[in-house]
Amino acid sequence: MTRSATPVAPIAGRGAGKTGHVYAVDMVRVLTFACVIGVHTIATLISLDSISAGGAAMLLHFTRESFFALTAFVLVHRYRDKLTDKVNCVRFWRRRYLLVGVPYLAWSVIYSVLGFSLAPVPAGTAVTLFGRNVLTGNAWYHLYFLIVTMQFYLVFPLFLWFLRATRRWHGWLLVGSGVLQVGIDAGLRAANPSGGWAATLWHYDGSFLGTYTFYLLLGGVAAWHAEQAQAWVRRHPTTVVMALLVTGVAAEGWYLKQVADGAPATAASDVFQPVVVPWCLASITALFALGVFWAGRRAGGPGSRIVEASSDRSFGVFLIHPMMLWIMTLGPAAWLSAHLPPIGMAAVAYVAVIGMSLLVVELLRRTSLSQVLTGKSRSLRGSAVQSNKSEPSAPAPPVTLGAGRT
């Protein structure tokens, strides 16, 4: 697979200029984060033993794979056209680990303290557990994503070199990695080690970079051939929609079959199943198509500013929304469950959590702790987003990662 010489509209969309801002990524990021909050709301407020809740979770699990594909896409898109094959590793790692590592450590402390307050343990045990939390991303259920992201940062220079070295065989690379991913998911699904280090490590399979090999390569290859990928989804919208419907029906059908065979809904909706791989591929492609269509039509109006502002705050919302969900369980959830059916309760809680998270992020962005707690520089009045300007007045840094950008 080689670069196409056919002129294609820039993937960054109209008006990107020299900012390096990939506007299609804004829409993909916002939709992915919206679905993440959705699946976490269902898992927190509705028992996944519920068949309907498990069915919803089955389809929403694509979000983690979308995250990693997006992370690889924005990094490769940023570096693919550099004249040199080498990345300044020290500069790259320093920048990326400051942007993500510092908020990760801060929130690992916050969530670990919250966990210890809910389930007190001796001081020595707390120190040991905190160290384990930092190493595994286990301080709260969503922080594994940052652990995997930082693993990817570590190997990214090698990853980029590999994409350059195999640029003539990217199609075969995707096919091979897709087959490998099916095998990985089947192995994770079937294996059940008991005792020893194997059993201990198995609990952290979602925090290991190798678990998501296909999705990282998918994002990287899509970025390497971004113009062709963009042109393909523009030419084949029907194929994109049909693939989404067919794989979604297959995933739900497999889920319902397992439930009918006696499997618990939680096990039947597990993210690591071979049937999930085509569904994730179709979902990521559909999100990319939506992002491309939106980027080509954005005109800098209120809708564009809302999407861009939401994307800008998405990393902070990702970090804080589980705490807002926990707050909902302290009282509001009990009231909602008494007055609304489960789906209505989840819908109200979902909107409330998004609203509260955005409010808290907005407040944090105006403090000196903004970089530490949201991964973003402090917001000042008159900034491009807050002053309703659709474009910055000077070139801005490029998109940097799936979890956030600077």
Side-chain angles (χ1 to χ4, degrees):
M1 190 182 292
T2 57
R3 301 276 184 89
S4 172
T6 304
V8 180
I11 196 169
R14 289 196 290 265
K18 297 181 179 180
T19 66
H21 188 107
V22 183
Y23 287 109
V25 168
D26 286 333
M27 179 61 75
V28 175
R29 183 181 289 117
V30 169
L31 292 175
T32 301
F33 275 107
C35 291
V36 165
I37 297 175
V39 72
H40 289 168
T41 300
I42 292 171
T44 301
L45 300 180
I46 303 177
S47 172
L48 286 183
D49 289 334
S50 161
I51 294 177
S52 58
M58 181 74 174
L59 295 182
L60 289 172
H61 277 319
F62 78 89
T63 51
R64 68 168 69 190
E65 284 80 2
S66 178
F67 268 142
F68 298 127
L70 182 61
T71 299
F73 180 93
V74 292
L75 281 176
V76 172
H77 191 270
R78 168 70 176 84
Y79 285 95
R80 66 172 190 167
D81 293 323
K82 291 289 186 181
L83 295 178
T84 176
D85 285 349
K86 295 181 179 180
V87 175
N88 186 319
C89 294
V90 174
R91 182 183 302 171
F92 174 84
W93 289 329
R94 181 174 63 243
R95 177 175 175 78
R96 308 298 159 176
Y97 286 122
L98 284 175
L99 287 172
V100 174
V102 172
Y104 169 74
L105 288 174
W107 284 100
S108 290
V109 171
I110 293 170
Y111 282 114
S112 291
V113 170
L114 176 59
F116 297 150
S117 69
L118 297 175
V121 295
T125 303
V127 172
T128 300
L129 289 176
F130 173 71
R132 184 179 298 172
N133 287 344
V134 171
L135 290 175
T136 63
N138 208 39
W140 214 255
Y141 53 76
H142 66 314
L143 292 178
Y144 74 91
F145 166 64
L146 301 187
I147 278 289
V148 178
T149 298
M150 289 187 285
Q151 292 173 42
F152 183 58
Y153 289 165
L154 184 64
V155 303
F156 177 72
L158 182 61
F159 182 83
L160 187 64
W161 170 85
F162 179 72
L163 287 180
R164 286 189 173 125
T166 60
R167 58 186 175 272
R168 296 182 182 276
W169 303 283
H170 281 172
W172 290 108
L173 181 66
L174 283 183
V175 171
S177 63
V179 173
L180 175 62
Q181 189 67 52
V182 169
I184 290 173
D185 283 13
L188 292 174
R189 178 74 170 170
N192 187 27
S194 58
W197 279 101
T200 301
L201 292 175
W202 211 256
H203 292 297
Y204 304 107
D205 53 355
S207 300
F208 175 54
L209 182 70
T211 303
Y212 310 99
T213 301
F214 171 63
Y215 305 105
L216 292 166
L217 286 169
L218 176 65
V221 169
W224 194 272
H225 304 278
E227 292 77 20
Q228 294 124 295
Q230 176 185 215
W232 190 90
V233 297
R234 285 183 180 278
R235 291 195 307 267
H236 301 93
T238 302
T239 302
V240 172
V241 173
M242 289 303 298
L244 189 69
L245 292 175
V246 170
T247 58
V249 169
E252 281 296 279
W254 180 251
Y255 163 76
L256 292 173
K257 179 183 182 300
Q258 292 181 90
V259 171
D261 290 342
T266 49
S269 62
D270 182 53
V271 64
F272 297 124
Q273 302 183 73
V275 71
V276 173
V277 176
W279 163 245
C280 289
L281 174 59
S283 300
I284 293 167
T285 303
L287 284 175
F288 178 72
L290 282 173
V292 167
F293 286 123
W294 175 79
R297 289 163 174 75
R298 60 175 297 279
S304 296
R305 289 196 294 271
I306 289 172
V307 171
E308 291 161 28
S310 299
S311 178
D312 183 64
R313 287 150 178 77
S314 60
F315 187 33
V317 169
F318 172 79
L319 291 168
I320 200 170
H321 82 271
M323 183 172 288
M324 300 300 103
L325 270 171
W326 172 73
I327 290 173
M328 289 293 295
T329 67
L330 298 180
W335 184 92
L336 289 172
S337 63
H339 293 80
L340 295 172
I343 186 65
M345 177 185 70
V348 172
Y350 175 77
V351 173
V353 166
I354 290 178
M356 291 189 300
S357 299
L358 283 169
L359 177 60
V360 173
V361 168
E362 196 64 30
L363 294 174
L364 290 175
R365 288 286 298 273
R366 297 174 183 274
T367 72
S368 58
L369 293 175
S370 179
Q371 189 72 54
V372 173
L373 295 179
T374 72
K376 296 286 186 176
S377 300
R378 183 176 181 178
S379 294
L380 301 174
R381 293 186 181 277
S383 67
V385 171
Q386 295 179 4
S387 63
N388 294 327
K389 295 178 182 178
S390 62
E391 298 295 335
S393 58
V399 176
T400 57
L401 61 126
R405 59 178 173 77
T406 59

